[in-house]
Amino acid sequence: RLRPYSLLVAGGYGASLDYQTLFDHSPLDIVVQGEGEYSLLTLCNMLEQRGYFEAPLHTIPGLILRSERSQHLTQTDYQLIRTHLDLAAMKADKYWEITASLYQNPDWGEVNTFRLNTSNYCPMGCAFCTLTNMRTYACGSPGKVRMLTAEQIVSLIRDVLVSYPDC
């Protein structure tokens, strides 16, 4: 009410999987579906350059707008996002320090890890899996699995080791 032109954006598993419930029960404007790094950055840049009323938000892959359905990320989009991460800017070493401070005798072999997402979710589609069932319920199907190639995974691992040799 205080800021009527504020844009309300949500993301994460819950929002990606059941965006319609969020739209039905909140003043939410946009859901960033799946991997949001590229979509959210593009959204912010577009709003900064063109303003709220002029920005063609429907052209941004990975956004679901309350008013209209936008396009989903393609396999190429996913690979581009995952292979062009600025790993050094992530400051994983600071994260490791904070994590280690929670333990009296931290096991640095366990603490110094770097989790790599090489696909947007598991491709198995198991009938008992909550995530598969939730995606089917929310989106009408389990959705398309987006993943990196073996060569891209090897390259990403090399990039991590260059940025964080203690990993």
Side-chain angles (χ1 to χ4, degrees), residues 98-126:
I98 292 168
T99 302
S101 73
L102 301 173
Y103 301 93
Q104 284 183 330
N105 297 310
D107 179 348
W108 286 97
E110 293 288 325
V111 173
N112 286 10
T113 59
F114 203 96
R115 290 158 188 86
L116 300 175
N117 292 315
T118 60
S119 69
N120 58 346
Y121 65 92
C122 174
M124 300 309 291
C126 300

mmCIF file of all heavy atoms in Angstrom, residues 98-126:
data_model
loop_
_atom_site.group_PDB
_atom_site.id
_atom_site.type_symbol
_atom_site.label_atom_id
_atom_site.label_comp_id
_atom_site.label_asym_id
_atom_site.label_seq_id
_atom_site.Cartn_x
_atom_site.Cartn_y
_atom_site.Cartn_z
ATOM 1 N N ILE A 98 32.663 -19.387 7.905
ATOM 2 C CA ILE A 98 31.453 -19.279 8.733
ATOM 3 C C ILE A 98 30.962 -20.666 9.123
ATOM 4 O O ILE A 98 30.626 -20.913 10.285
ATOM 5 C CB ILE A 98 30.355 -18.496 7.984
ATOM 6 C CG1 ILE A 98 30.774 -17.039 7.830
ATOM 7 C CG2 ILE A 98 29.017 -18.608 8.716
ATOM 8 C CD1 ILE A 98 29.917 -16.241 6.867
ATOM 9 N N THR A 99 30.951 -21.578 8.169
ATOM 10 C CA THR A 99 30.520 -22.945 8.446
ATOM 11 C C THR A 99 31.428 -23.591 9.483
ATOM 12 O O THR A 99 30.958 -24.211 10.439
ATOM 13 C CB THR A 99 30.508 -23.785 7.156
ATOM 14 O OG1 THR A 99 29.643 -23.163 6.207
ATOM 15 C CG2 THR A 99 30.037 -25.199 7.424
ATOM 16 N N ALA A 100 32.726 -23.436 9.323
ATOM 17 C CA ALA A 100 33.688 -24.030 10.256
ATOM 18 C C ALA A 100 33.526 -23.458 11.663
ATOM 19 O O ALA A 100 33.718 -24.172 12.655
ATOM 20 C CB ALA A 100 35.114 -23.818 9.755
ATOM 21 N N SER A 101 33.162 -22.194 11.763
ATOM 22 C CA SER A 101 33.015 -21.564 13.084
ATOM 23 C C SER A 101 31.869 -22.162 13.896
ATOM 24 O O SER A 101 31.785 -21.953 15.109
ATOM 25 C CB SER A 101 32.816 -20.051 12.935
ATOM 26 O OG SER A 101 31.521 -19.762 12.447
ATOM 27 N N LEU A 102 31.008 -22.915 13.270
ATOM 28 C CA LEU A 102 29.883 -23.544 13.968
ATOM 29 C C LEU A 102 30.286 -24.823 14.697
ATOM 30 O O LEU A 102 29.495 -25.376 15.446
ATOM 31 C CB LEU A 102 28.755 -23.850 12.974
ATOM 32 C CG LEU A 102 28.181 -22.649 12.216
ATOM 33 C CD1 LEU A 102 27.199 -23.118 11.149
ATOM 34 C CD2 LEU A 102 27.519 -21.674 13.164
ATOM 35 N N TYR A 103 31.509 -25.286 14.461
ATOM 36 C CA TYR A 103 31.972 -26.548 15.033
ATOM 37 C C TYR A 103 33.217 -26.330 15.889
ATOM 38 O O TYR A 103 34.036 -25.471 15.586
ATOM 39 C CB TYR A 103 32.300 -27.551 13.912
ATOM 40 C CG TYR A 103 31.116 -27.853 13.030
ATOM 41 C CD1 TYR A 103 30.903 -27.129 11.858
ATOM 42 C CD2 TYR A 103 30.208 -28.835 13.380
ATOM 43 C CE1 TYR A 103 29.808 -27.394 11.051
ATOM 44 C CE2 TYR A 103 29.112 -29.108 12.581
ATOM 45 C CZ TYR A 103 28.916 -28.382 11.419
ATOM 46 O OH TYR A 103 27.837 -28.640 10.628
ATOM 47 N N GLN A 104 33.340 -27.154 16.945
ATOM 48 C CA GLN A 104 34.536 -27.062 17.783
ATOM 49 C C GLN A 104 35.763 -27.545 17.031
ATOM 50 O O GLN A 104 36.821 -26.941 17.095
ATOM 51 C CB GLN A 104 34.352 -27.882 19.068
ATOM 52 C CG GLN A 104 33.458 -27.207 20.069
ATOM 53 C CD GLN A 104 33.363 -28.022 21.353
ATOM 54 O OE1 GLN A 104 33.463 -29.250 21.347
ATOM 55 N NE2 GLN A 104 33.169 -27.330 22.453
ATOM 56 N N ASN A 105 35.637 -28.664 16.351
ATOM 57 C CA ASN A 105 36.741 -29.242 15.581
ATOM 58 C C ASN A 105 36.271 -29.514 14.160
ATOM 59 O O ASN A 105 35.958 -30.650 13.805
ATOM 60 C CB ASN A 105 37.228 -30.550 16.231
ATOM 61 C CG ASN A 105 37.782 -30.309 17.618
ATOM 62 O OD1 ASN A 105 38.612 -29.433 17.785
ATOM 63 N ND2 ASN A 105 37.299 -31.070 18.589
ATOM 64 N N PRO A 106 36.229 -28.486 13.345
ATOM 65 C CA PRO A 106 35.695 -28.694 11.987
ATOM 66 C C PRO A 106 36.572 -29.611 11.149
ATOM 67 O O PRO A 106 37.790 -29.571 11.248
ATOM 68 C CB PRO A 106 35.661 -27.288 11.397
ATOM 69 C CG PRO A 106 36.645 -26.504 12.188
ATOM 70 C CD PRO A 106 36.679 -27.118 13.558
ATOM 71 N N ASP A 107 35.932 -30.445 10.382
ATOM 72 C CA ASP A 107 36.620 -31.306 9.429
ATOM 73 C C ASP A 107 36.696 -30.532 8.117
ATOM 74 O O ASP A 107 35.718 -30.427 7.382
ATOM 75 C CB ASP A 107 35.837 -32.607 9.245
ATOM 76 C CG ASP A 107 36.477 -33.551 8.237
ATOM 77 O OD1 ASP A 107 37.409 -33.123 7.511
ATOM 78 O OD2 ASP A 107 36.038 -34.708 8.159
ATOM 79 N N TRP A 108 37.886 -29.963 7.843
ATOM 80 C CA TRP A 108 38.021 -29.097 6.678
ATOM 81 C C TRP A 108 37.787 -29.838 5.373
ATOM 82 O O TRP A 108 37.405 -29.235 4.371
ATOM 83 C CB TRP A 108 39.377 -28.388 6.687
ATOM 84 C CG TRP A 108 39.381 -27.314 7.729
ATOM 85 C CD1 TRP A 108 39.880 -27.400 8.992
ATOM 86 C CD2 TRP A 108 38.791 -26.020 7.622
ATOM 87 N NE1 TRP A 108 39.650 -26.230 9.679
ATOM 88 C CE2 TRP A 108 38.986 -25.359 8.862
ATOM 89 C CE3 TRP A 108 38.114 -25.341 6.608
ATOM 90 C CZ2 TRP A 108 38.527 -24.071 9.103
ATOM 91 C CZ3 TRP A 108 37.662 -24.059 6.847
ATOM 92 C CH2 TRP A 108 37.870 -23.435 8.077
ATOM 93 N N GLY A 109 37.970 -31.144 5.381
ATOM 94 C CA GLY A 109 37.653 -31.931 4.193
ATOM 95 C C GLY A 109 36.159 -31.933 3.904
ATOM 96 O O GLY A 109 35.735 -32.044 2.763
ATOM 97 N N GLU A 110 35.364 -31.798 4.960
ATOM 98 C CA GLU A 110 33.906 -31.719 4.813
ATOM 99 C C GLU A 110 33.453 -30.284 4.578
ATOM 100 O O GLU A 110 32.498 -30.033 3.847
ATOM 101 C CB GLU A 110 33.214 -32.280 6.060
ATOM 102 C CG GLU A 110 33.393 -33.761 6.270
ATOM 103 C CD GLU A 110 32.594 -34.579 5.273
ATOM 104 O OE1 GLU A 110 31.494 -34.156 4.892
ATOM 105 O OE2 GLU A 110 33.085 -35.650 4.860
ATOM 106 N N VAL A 111 34.123 -29.330 5.211
ATOM 107 C CA VAL A 111 33.720 -27.922 5.130
ATOM 108 C C VAL A 111 34.074 -27.329 3.767
ATOM 109 O O VAL A 111 33.260 -26.651 3.141
ATOM 110 C CB VAL A 111 34.381 -27.100 6.266
ATOM 111 C CG1 VAL A 111 34.120 -25.618 6.085
ATOM 112 C CG2 VAL A 111 33.859 -27.570 7.619
ATOM 113 N N ASN A 112 35.288 -27.576 3.299
ATOM 114 C CA ASN A 112 35.751 -26.992 2.031
ATOM 115 C C ASN A 112 35.199 -27.781 0.841
ATOM 116 O O ASN A 112 35.913 -28.508 0.175
ATOM 117 C CB ASN A 112 37.280 -26.986 1.959
ATOM 118 C CG ASN A 112 37.888 -25.943 2.847
ATOM 119 O OD1 ASN A 112 37.214 -25.328 3.656
ATOM 120 N ND2 ASN A 112 39.168 -25.729 2.704
ATOM 121 N N THR A 113 33.926 -27.607 0.613
ATOM 122 C CA THR A 113 33.303 -28.259 -0.537
ATOM 123 C C THR A 113 32.647 -27.200 -1.407
ATOM 124 O O THR A 113 32.278 -26.129 -0.935
ATOM 125 C CB THR A 113 32.236 -29.282 -0.101
ATOM 126 O OG1 THR A 113 31.237 -28.613 0.670
ATOM 127 C CG2 THR A 113 32.848 -30.402 0.712
ATOM 128 N N PHE A 114 32.521 -27.521 -2.646
ATOM 129 C CA PHE A 114 31.877 -26.620 -3.596
ATOM 130 C C PHE A 114 30.827 -27.435 -4.322
ATOM 131 O O PHE A 114 31.149 -28.385 -5.042
ATOM 132 C CB PHE A 114 32.919 -26.077 -4.591
ATOM 133 C CG PHE A 114 32.498 -24.786 -5.216
ATOM 134 C CD1 PHE A 114 32.934 -23.583 -4.700
ATOM 135 C CD2 PHE A 114 31.652 -24.768 -6.306
ATOM 136 C CE1 PHE A 114 32.548 -22.377 -5.262
ATOM 137 C CE2 PHE A 114 31.264 -23.580 -6.879
ATOM 138 C CZ PHE A 114 31.708 -22.377 -6.355
ATOM 139 N N ARG A 115 29.584 -27.109 -4.095
ATOM 140 C CA ARG A 115 28.493 -27.866 -4.700
ATOM 141 C C ARG A 115 28.213 -27.338 -6.109
ATOM 142 O O ARG A 115 27.932 -26.163 -6.279
ATOM 143 C CB ARG A 115 27.250 -27.765 -3.836
ATOM 144 C CG ARG A 115 27.420 -28.540 -2.543
ATOM 145 C CD ARG A 115 26.479 -28.035 -1.461
ATOM 146 N NE ARG A 115 26.771 -28.644 -0.189
ATOM 147 C CZ ARG A 115 27.671 -28.189 0.672
ATOM 148 N NH1 ARG A 115 28.390 -27.124 0.376
ATOM 149 N NH2 ARG A 115 27.881 -28.792 1.814
ATOM 150 N N LEU A 116 28.269 -28.221 -7.063
ATOM 151 C CA LEU A 116 28.024 -27.837 -8.453
ATOM 152 C C LEU A 116 26.674 -28.384 -8.895
ATOM 153 O O LEU A 116 26.411 -29.579 -8.767
ATOM 154 C CB LEU A 116 29.111 -28.402 -9.365
ATOM 155 C CG LEU A 116 30.535 -27.956 -9.070
ATOM 156 C CD1 LEU A 116 31.512 -28.685 -9.977
ATOM 157 C CD2 LEU A 116 30.659 -26.464 -9.242
ATOM 158 N N ASN A 117 25.838 -27.512 -9.408
ATOM 159 C CA ASN A 117 24.573 -27.955 -9.985
ATOM 160 C C ASN A 117 24.795 -28.153 -11.469
ATOM 161 O O ASN A 117 25.063 -27.208 -12.189
ATOM 162 C CB ASN A 117 23.480 -26.909 -9.751
ATOM 163 C CG ASN A 117 23.118 -26.796 -8.299
ATOM 164 O OD1 ASN A 117 22.951 -27.802 -7.628
ATOM 165 N ND2 ASN A 117 23.001 -25.587 -7.808
ATOM 166 N N THR A 118 24.690 -29.387 -11.895
ATOM 167 C CA THR A 118 24.946 -29.690 -13.300
ATOM 168 C C THR A 118 23.662 -29.995 -14.063
ATOM 169 O O THR A 118 23.700 -30.231 -15.261
ATOM 170 C CB THR A 118 25.922 -30.868 -13.418
ATOM 171 O OG1 THR A 118 25.345 -32.010 -12.771
ATOM 172 C CG2 THR A 118 27.265 -30.528 -12.797
ATOM 173 N N SER A 119 22.539 -30.005 -13.350
ATOM 174 C CA SER A 119 21.236 -30.129 -14.003
ATOM 175 C C SER A 119 20.221 -29.388 -13.151
ATOM 176 O O SER A 119 20.456 -29.139 -11.967
ATOM 177 C CB SER A 119 20.830 -31.593 -14.179
ATOM 178 O OG SER A 119 20.545 -32.191 -12.942
ATOM 179 N N ASN A 120 19.084 -29.018 -13.751
ATOM 180 C CA ASN A 120 18.110 -28.246 -12.998
ATOM 181 C C ASN A 120 17.321 -29.101 -12.013
ATOM 182 O O ASN A 120 16.781 -28.586 -11.053
ATOM 183 C CB ASN A 120 17.174 -27.463 -13.929
ATOM 184 C CG ASN A 120 16.429 -28.338 -14.901
ATOM 185 O OD1 ASN A 120 16.749 -29.506 -15.105
ATOM 186 N ND2 ASN A 120 15.425 -27.763 -15.535
ATOM 187 N N TYR A 121 17.219 -30.374 -12.261
ATOM 188 C CA TYR A 121 16.681 -31.313 -11.277
ATOM 189 C C TYR A 121 16.908 -32.729 -11.764
ATOM 190 O O TYR A 121 17.354 -32.943 -12.889
ATOM 191 C CB TYR A 121 15.200 -31.044 -10.954
ATOM 192 C CG TYR A 121 14.233 -31.255 -12.089
ATOM 193 C CD1 TYR A 121 13.600 -32.473 -12.285
ATOM 194 C CD2 TYR A 121 13.936 -30.217 -12.963
ATOM 195 C CE1 TYR A 121 12.712 -32.653 -13.318
ATOM 196 C CE2 TYR A 121 13.048 -30.397 -13.998
ATOM 197 C CZ TYR A 121 12.433 -31.618 -14.169
ATOM 198 O OH TYR A 121 11.559 -31.786 -15.194
ATOM 199 N N CYS A 122 16.594 -33.675 -10.932
ATOM 200 C CA CYS A 122 16.840 -35.083 -11.239
ATOM 201 C C CYS A 122 15.996 -35.527 -12.441
ATOM 202 O O CYS A 122 14.795 -35.253 -12.494
ATOM 203 C CB CYS A 122 16.510 -35.928 -10.012
ATOM 204 S SG CYS A 122 16.607 -37.703 -10.300
ATOM 205 N N PRO A 123 16.593 -36.231 -13.383
ATOM 206 C CA PRO A 123 15.859 -36.656 -14.579
ATOM 207 C C PRO A 123 15.084 -37.964 -14.426
ATOM 208 O O PRO A 123 14.427 -38.397 -15.361
ATOM 209 C CB PRO A 123 16.983 -36.831 -15.601
ATOM 210 C CG PRO A 123 18.152 -37.265 -14.789
ATOM 211 C CD PRO A 123 18.023 -36.496 -13.483
ATOM 212 N N MET A 124 15.134 -38.609 -13.264
ATOM 213 C CA MET A 124 14.580 -39.948 -13.140
ATOM 214 C C MET A 124 13.049 -39.988 -13.162
ATOM 215 O O MET A 124 12.460 -40.949 -13.619
ATOM 216 C CB MET A 124 15.112 -40.625 -11.878
ATOM 217 C CG MET A 124 16.631 -40.771 -11.859
ATOM 218 S SD MET A 124 17.310 -41.533 -13.353
ATOM 219 C CE MET A 124 16.717 -43.179 -13.163
ATOM 220 N N GLY A 125 12.368 -38.964 -12.634
ATOM 221 C CA GLY A 125 10.902 -38.937 -12.664
ATOM 222 C C GLY A 125 10.252 -40.051 -11.872
ATOM 223 O O GLY A 125 9.210 -40.588 -12.266
ATOM 224 N N CYS A 126 10.833 -40.418 -10.753
ATOM 225 C CA CYS A 126 10.304 -41.514 -9.933
ATOM 226 C C CYS A 126 8.898 -41.194 -9.422
ATOM 227 O O CYS A 126 8.613 -40.077 -9.000
ATOM 228 C CB CYS A 126 11.223 -41.783 -8.747
ATOM 229 S SG CYS A 126 12.894 -42.250 -9.244
#
